[in-house]
Amino acid sequence: MEKKVSDLEANISEVKAGTKAALNIPPKEIESSPTIQIEHLQVDKIVIERLDYANNFGQLGIKELSGKLNIGSTYEGDISELINEKVKEKISNEAKVNFRAKKES
């Protein structure tokens, strides 16, 4: 039993000496990994898992507000004149009826 303990103590002292020697080695003597140079890199797909936009409108002031708000269907340009022409065409094609109040005699 005493022999095993003395052997273990000797092993521990060797390991301590080895670590101290390894820590005192200058960085140039430690083997460094070879340098990798990338000449061409091609990215086929970028996946963005999370994107945060932070807008600060605390100091925003509005002096004038103009424009129009469209709710529902929106059409490009003013089509009211075209609609009025179509309505007039439809009305002119139908039979004309005059309504007059009956004269009381």
Side-chain angles (χ1 to χ4, degrees):
M1 187 77 137
E2 289 178 8
K3 184 178 179 187
K4 286 184 179 181
V5 171
S6 64
D7 288 339
L8 289 174
E9 287 177 350
N11 287 341
I12 290 173
S13 63
E14 287 176 13
V15 170
K16 284 184 181 179
T19 56
K20 285 182 182 178
L23 293 176
N24 291 333
I25 296 174
K28 290 181 181 177
E29 293 180 12
I30 297 175
E31 291 183 24
S32 62
S33 60
T35 304
I36 299 173
Q37 289 184 341
I38 299 173
E39 292 180 15
H40 178 72
L41 178 66
Q42 181 177 349
V43 178
D44 292 330
K45 183 177 181 181
I46 296 177
V47 177
I48 299 173
E49 292 180 7
R50 184 175 178 194
L51 179 63
D52 288 332
Y53 284 112
N55 293 325
N56 253 341
F57 291 117
Q59 300 296 323
L60 181 65
I62 299 173
K63 292 183 181 179
E64 182 180 336
L65 183 63
S66 63
K68 65 178 161 176
L69 172 66
N70 294 318
I71 299 174
S73 298
T74 58
Y75 301 99
E76 201 59 39
D78 187 18
I79 61 168
S80 59
E81 292 178 13
L82 180 63
I83 292 173
N84 288 337
E85 289 176 14
K86 293 288 184 181
V87 169
K88 286 180 185 177
E89 286 177 15
K90 294 275 184 181
I91 291 175
S92 66
N93 291 340
E94 295 178 3
K96 293 185 180 180
V97 179
N98 291 329
F99 293 102
R100 294 185 189 167
K102 204 177 205 183
K103 288 186 183 178
E104 292 185 31
S105 36

